[in-house]
Amino acid sequence: MSEKKTFKTAARMKEIMQEYYAKGAAAKEKRIPVAWVTAIFPVELLYAAGIFPYYPENFGALASARKVADKLSRYAEAKGYAHDLCGYARCGIGDAYAEEHPVGEILKPDVTFCCNTQCGSLSKWFEVASRFYNVPYFLLDAPQILDQPEELATGYYVDQLKEMIAFLEEITGKPFDYDRLLEVLHLSNETCRLWNEILDTAAMKPAPFGFFDACFHMAPIVTMRGTREAVEYYQALKEEVDERIKEGKYAIPNERFKIYFDHIPLWPKLRWFSELFASHNSLVAVSQYTHSWAYSFDLERPLESLAENYTEEFVNRSFEHRLQLKMNFFRKYGVDGFVLFSNRSCKPTSLGLYDKRSVLSERTGLPGVVFDADMSDLRFFSEAQILARLEPFFEQLASSQ
Amino acid sequence: MSIEVLEVLKKTFADPGRQVKEWKQDTGGKAIGFLLTEVPEELIHAAGFFPFGICGGRARLEQAEAHLQSWACSYVRKGLAMAINGELDFLDGIIVPLTCDSTRLLPGIWKHNKPLPYMDSYRLPKQVERPSAKKYLFKELERIKYNLSAYRGKEITDEELKQSIRLYNSNRGLLRKLYNIHEHNPEAISNKDLYTVLGASMVIEREKLNRYLSELVATLEEQTKPPAGKKKTKLYISGTFINPPEVLDYLDESGGTVVGDDLKNGYRYIQDDVEEAGISPLESLVNRQLKKKPFAGYDVPSAPRRYNLVKASQQKKAQGVLFLHLKYCEPENYDYYDNLQALEQAGIPSMRIETEFGDTSLGQLQTRIHAFMEMVGGESNV
Ligand code: SF4
């Protein structure tokens, strides 16, 4: 991926991720509890409590990007876990039983925290992990928002945050530090603000930054929001993107079309996809996925605000609401077409896409396509099948102008 | 032995939509469907609607193909296919329990393709041991009660709800009696007939059901002679659904008898009654849900599912456990290995079979079940 090399910040990424993993290892030695958490989780509470948060999904994405997901998965499959479960879960469970650790060993938890806003796979996976490692499991239960957000669901979530705080006090043996929480929330706000400012530059034509860049640069927003390092990282990236704008450096050489992409990328084929789109002068500009981390916490009402932000994610919303969100992105980024990835690993982002493809085209007049594959596992990847879907789409795009 | 009411229930099961259609014609009432498991049907009944349990039908899975990926479980695909092919046209509404990601996504897809006047979801809590769960669930059931009331245009009264609870408790009690008769004397009612009655109980007018079940249980209690002939091999079934029903034939013919299960269209459907006295009926419904045994939808740290499975199998003196899983049912699959480990530690043999609604190779299924029966029960069974 050409853009990956040209961002100077990329080198810094490697460093801060290494530092992050080193901190995890050191936490074990210093007896700082290591908590497994999920990507959409009020991690701010853990930082405030001085607990080290570790993201097994990130481990899964890493294994997928390094093309070893199938290898790890086979260890899970040997125990009876099906190859159609979430690829991240298969990597995590597989690694627990594996004799080889091609991306290093997953960090063993002292406790697992799960929020099911995203999916039911995580809660089942974390239940499995809590049994395997014999550690407590704490679920933040986020009922689906049926229509509009309701006090019923957010109130329930706030009650659970209070229960979680009591649980954290038990683990750490210390009273919960609410002042520290406000600091952490402030840092999260800053990180999210910077991240979204960067993402927004993809709306410029031509744009200095696109979805594949976002995939490369997203690890800190997922795993480190709430820390100063994350703020500094995105400050540096933002500066660099601004420089690019001044210098007229763009994400792809001849941007003609902007594409919306749902949702998670095919990690082991990131480069292949980015080159494919670039070769058709198409910039994948936006995806609901990378835009998930767009939190804005109200420091006056921290718990309520955490509850709202973490339960109202797109993935926990209704069919119609999710259509609206997509169309908002279409407008905001001025997209010319959309590509929907029906991802075997991830039912909550994939079920419904078949119908949404036609609805979106009907409502917006834009060309769109849906294809099937798996975000981690190349056993479900067929280049020929995907091209058979995408080539006609690119032709449609070209003829629409 | 042919018992008249049993024949009626068998017919009901064979054509699940017949009774509800007749009832609608006779009464002008409305029917609300529900998916399994956990939906508090008592609320539907209290509103005067016909509660209709959706659990398989004639529609081919291909009829849902354009809307749901083939790797969504066949239970939700079948439900959607039935809606699309018109097989559920008698329904005025539906309540979907959000037990997993597939059920969570289904209502939107259903609504898009086949909108019904009344559509709701039941968002059961996935943690049940902390105080927040109870407070939340009360409000969630209040919400459903409010929506049902609004749909019929009149509030559901406590008295109505209490009456429905009494009727449902009575039905469940009778079904458990039936289950018990089967457990202790499989000659009295076969595996196949037992689950047929359970299946029928979800698609029949509940008042009628009560009369039929009373008669059936009384007749069986009277007629039943002590078991004759060879002893049967006792099995516990764990998983999602009894599906396809032929599984039961294969057990019947190989000398197996089901002594317990944790299935959605099995014992889980009749296990828990609702307290009738004291507190408000809605609170009783809350308590029933919270005290239910964990299933694949969520585990309960203080009383994990795998140990319940071992305990139940041991209590029932099951000689083996048959895992009957629905292909692509993620929650069930996540639980499997740990369930298996717990059984192995307890020395209980098991076998897992994966089936799909409407797409299972019966010959192979029969062979595998016979082989398993032979293994756990000895050769005399086959
Ligand atoms: S990829 Fe999908 S199923 Fe897997 S953890 Fe993420 S949201 Fe859940």
Side-chain angles (χ1 to χ4, degrees):
Chain A
M1 215 173 347
S2 56
E3 58 267 46
K4 179 164 138 187
K5 287 197 196 83
T6 47
F7 272 103
K8 289 184 296 235
T9 327
R12 177 68 192 130
M13 158 79 88
K14 222 174 163 186
E15 272 168 37
I16 70 167
M17 287 315 286
Q18 268 165 4
E19 284 161 22
Y20 169 74
Y21 290 124
K23 260 190 211 156
K28 283 271 168 202
E29 277 158 32
K30 288 194 221 145
R31 305 197 157 203
I32 295 171
V34 169
W36 273 21
V37 282
T38 50
I40 308 298
F41 185 92
V43 67
E44 290 78 8
L45 292 179
L46 296 182
Y47 277 120
I51 285 179
F52 182 79
Y54 179 82
Y55 291 80
E57 283 159 272
N58 188 243
F59 176 87
L62 189 70
S64 308
R66 300 257 179 92
K67 302 186 175 55
V68 292
D70 56 332
K71 217 180 240 167
L72 288 174
S73 177
R74 278 181 226 269
Y75 287 99
E77 288 163 39
K79 301 292 179 195
Y81 295 96
H83 61 42
D84 34 59
L85 296 177
C86 168
Y88 297 162
R90 284 183 281 125
C91 286
I93 296 171
D95 189 71
Y97 293 108
E99 284 140 22
E100 47 178 346
H101 303 280
V103 285
E105 249 179 286
I106 204 163
L107 194 61
K108 294 186 178 67
D110 298 302
V111 53
T112 67
F113 287 97
C114 172
C115 170
N116 59 7
T117 290
Q118 271 162 276
C119 65
S121 291
L122 284 165
S123 49
K124 293 309 291 181
W125 171 17
F126 278 36
E127 279 180 11
V128 169
S130 297
R131 296 193 285 256
F132 183 86
Y133 298 108
N134 196 19
V135 298
Y137 163 73
F138 192 98
L139 176 73
L140 282 176
D141 188 20
Q144 189 189 42
I145 295 167
L146 300 174
D147 184 19
Q148 289 309 308
E150 342 137 66
E151 202 282 325
L152 168 56
T154 33
Y156 175 37
Y157 204 83
V158 169
D159 284 346
Q160 295 179 84
L161 290 177
K162 290 178 185 158
E163 288 167 341
M164 181 176 148
I165 287 172
F167 181 55
L168 287 172
E169 289 177 331
E170 218 178 277
I171 295 178
T172 59
K174 280 187 282 198
F176 186 74
D177 188 343
Y178 284 89
D179 294 333
R180 176 81 186 112
L181 176 63
L182 295 185
E183 285 167 28
V184 174
L185 285 174
H186 174 70
L187 291 170
S188 268
N189 277 344
E190 272 304 289
T191 319
C192 291
R193 184 183 58 79
L194 286 161
W195 173 241
N196 285 278
E197 278 175 18
I198 295 166
L199 294 179
D200 279 350
T201 62
M204 303 173 78
K205 200 154 184 177
F209 191 89
F211 170 68
F212 294 109
D213 302 304
C215 290
F216 180 79
H217 290 281
M218 68 185 287
I221 188 78
V222 180
T223 61
M224 273 184 243
R225 64 182 186 286
T227 69
R228 195 157 301 286
E229 289 87 340
V231 175
E232 284 164 7
Y233 180 78
Y234 290 112
Q235 273 165 348
L237 183 61
K238 177 83 194 350
E239 274 167 31
E240 202 180 345
V241 171
D242 287 341
E243 263 167 46
R244 282 190 157 206
I245 296 170
K246 266 190 228 129
E247 291 165 11
K249 269 201 204 161
Y250 304 114
I252 61 168
N254 303 302
E255 183 189 320
R256 270 186 72 202
F257 308 110
K258 283 197 197 294
I259 310 295
Y260 171 90
F261 184 88
D262 253 1
H263 294 91
I264 304 176
L266 281 87
W267 292 113
K269 286 285 170 186
L270 208 52
R271 176 193 290 248
W272 184 80
F273 267 94
S274 77
E275 283 170 2
L276 177 70
F277 280 97
S279 73
H280 288 87
N281 302 327
S282 302
L283 176 75
V284 180
V286 51
S287 154
Q288 223 153 31
Y289 175 59
T290 43
H291 279 260
S292 297
W293 292 270
Y295 306 123
S296 165
F297 301 109
D298 180 353
L299 271 46
E300 299 286 316
R301 37 196 284 286
L303 296 188
E304 288 74 13
S305 176
L306 279 163
E308 288 155 8
N309 275 281
Y310 283 110
T311 56
E312 290 168 20
E313 281 279 354
F314 78 88
V315 64
N316 202 27
R317 305 299 297 264
S318 69
F319 186 92
E320 179 57 34
H321 188 85
R322 286 165 72 166
L323 281 171
Q324 295 296 337
L325 290 172
K326 287 189 217 304
M327 290 190 297
N328 290 346
F329 280 129
F330 289 7
R331 276 189 293 273
K332 183 170 173 194
Y333 288 81
V335 310
D336 303 292
F338 59 91
V339 175
L340 308 177
F341 167 27
S342 160
N343 177 356
R344 282 184 78 103
S345 265
C346 185
K347 291 190 169 82
T349 60
S350 300
L351 302 188
L353 287 183
Y354 287 4
D355 283 312
K356 284 175 187 165
R357 196 211 61 77
S358 46
V359 180
L360 287 170
S361 282
E362 275 159 30
R363 291 197 196 169
T364 64
L366 294 176
V369 67
V370 58
F371 73 90
D372 282 89
D374 187 87
M375 65 182 185
S376 349
D377 200 323
L378 289 175
R379 285 175 293 174
F380 300 108
F381 179 81
S382 155
E383 194 171 308
Q385 258 175 37
I386 292 176
L387 287 177
R389 285 291 169 107
L390 288 181
E391 293 294 354
F393 167 74
F394 287 126
E395 279 163 28
Q396 237 183 316
L397 258 190
S399 66
S400 68
Q401 281 228 331
Chain B
M1 167 173 65
S2 156
I3 302 170
E4 208 182 313
V5 282
L6 186 57
E7 294 312 311
V8 175
L9 289 165
K10 281 189 197 170
K11 267 197 209 135
T12 306
F13 183 67
D15 185 6
R18 197 174 53 96
Q19 293 248 352
V20 61
K21 281 185 247 173
E22 279 172 18
W23 178 88
K24 282 187 71 166
Q25 220 156 39
D26 294 348
T27 63
K30 292 188 161 109
I32 305 287
F34 60 91
L35 292 193
L36 302 173
T37 169
E38 313 303 279
V39 172
E41 264 178 75
E42 289 88 345
L43 283 171
I44 303 175
H45 185 267
F49 302 133
F50 190 118
F52 182 85
I54 300 169
C55 193
R58 287 186 309 275
R60 283 172 302 110
L61 290 177
E62 297 89 81
Q63 287 171 291
E65 208 173 53
H67 312 282
L68 263 179
Q69 285 86 337
S70 60
W71 30 268
C73 84
S74 53
Y75 179 61
V76 303
R77 276 188 289 146
K78 185 74 154 190
L80 186 69
M82 286 162 71
I84 287 171
N85 89 340
E87 208 172 319
L88 296 175
D89 276 356
F90 53 81
L91 289 182
D92 300 281
I94 181 179
I95 300 183
V96 178
L98 308 190
T99 54
C100 62
D101 288 331
S102 297
T103 48
R104 181 158 82 138
L105 276 290
L106 178 69
I109 300 170
W110 193 307
K111 187 173 174 187
H112 175 69
N113 290 291
K114 197 80 185 183
L116 292 170
Y118 179 89
M119 297 191 84
D120 206 353
S121 297
Y122 172 39
R123 301 169 297 174
L124 55 143
K126 304 289 172 59
Q127 57 89 14
V128 294
E129 294 195 298
R130 303 197 305 263
S132 56
K134 186 167 181 174
K135 188 171 148 197
Y136 159 73
L137 184 54
F138 189 84
K139 290 193 200 161
E140 172 66 356
L141 291 183
E142 241 178 2
R143 185 189 65 81
I144 295 176
K145 181 174 162 225
Y146 175 87
N147 287 348
L148 284 165
S149 297
Y151 183 55
R152 96 161 159 176
K154 197 163 116 236
E155 204 185 327
I156 300 171
T157 65
D158 272 7
E159 204 33 59
E160 284 172 319
L161 186 50
K162 278 183 189 164
Q163 263 182 33
S164 299
I165 287 173
R166 270 198 294 276
L167 177 64
Y168 267 83
N169 280 348
S170 169
N171 283 342
R172 278 186 290 256
L174 288 162
L175 287 164
R176 288 196 301 266
K177 257 193 193 159
L178 198 65
Y179 206 106
N180 198 266
I181 293 173
H182 166 81
E183 183 193 334
H184 293 102
N185 189 355
E187 308 290 346
I189 179 163
S190 66
N191 296 311
K192 181 70 170 282
D193 288 350
L194 172 69
Y195 287 95
T196 299
V197 173
L198 277 166
S201 76
M202 301 172 193
V203 294
I204 190 171
E205 199 184 329
R206 302 310 191 270
E207 288 78 3
K208 253 190 204 168
L209 174 68
N210 199 259
R211 292 196 299 275
Y212 291 164
L213 287 176
S214 307
E215 199 182 320
L216 180 60
V217 167
T219 315
L220 287 177
E221 278 175 342
E222 247 169 57
Q223 289 189 354
T224 302
K225 300 179 190 68
K230 297 188 295 222
K231 271 216 161 139
K232 300 231 177 204
T233 304
K234 294 178 171 182
L235 273 195
Y236 188 95
I237 306 188
S238 173
T240 334
F241 295 103
I242 284 284
N243 169 73
E246 284 83 357
V247 166
L248 299 163
D249 292 328
Y250 306 149
L251 288 176
D252 280 326
E253 70 199 21
S254 58
T257 184
V258 183
V259 290
D261 77 71
D262 61 12
L263 304 162
K264 295 179 182 182
N265 61 351
Y267 205 69
R268 189 168 184 87
Y269 187 66
I270 56 172
Q271 190 159 26
D272 302 286
D273 282 341
V274 183
E275 225 177 293
E276 289 178 28
I279 49 177
S280 85
L282 206 60
E283 199 176 337
S284 297
L285 289 178
V286 170
N287 291 343
R288 186 256 311 260
Q289 178 74 61
L290 294 178
K291 73 162 197 239
K292 276 193 153 191
K293 292 219 163 67
F295 71 118
Y298 60 85
D299 207 3
V300 168
S302 72
R305 182 179 185 208
R306 63 196 186 286
Y307 298 134
N308 288 335
L309 175 61
V310 170
K311 227 190 300 163
S313 312
Q314 286 170 337
Q315 267 166 7
K316 300 283 179 189
K317 303 199 166 46
Q319 288 153 274
V321 170
L322 179 66
F323 287 105
L324 210 49
H325 287 181
L326 209 57
K327 206 171 170 200
Y328 304 120
C329 173
E330 297 185 337
E332 206 54 63
N333 187 251
Y334 276 107
D335 279 357
Y336 170 61
Y337 182 65
D338 291 325
N339 285 344
L340 177 69
Q341 291 288 98
L343 287 176
E344 277 179 2
Q345 272 159 25
I348 303 169
S350 69
M351 174 175 75
R352 172 168 67 160
I353 291 181
E354 279 193 323
T355 67
E356 286 205 89
F357 274 91
D359 193 16
T360 303
S361 146
L362 291 178
Q364 216 187 11
L365 192 64
Q366 186 178 32
T367 313
R368 291 196 61 196
I369 289 181
H370 285 184
F372 182 62
M373 292 308 301
E374 198 171 317
M375 187 193 104
V376 297
E379 269 177 38
S380 60
N381 282 319
V382 180

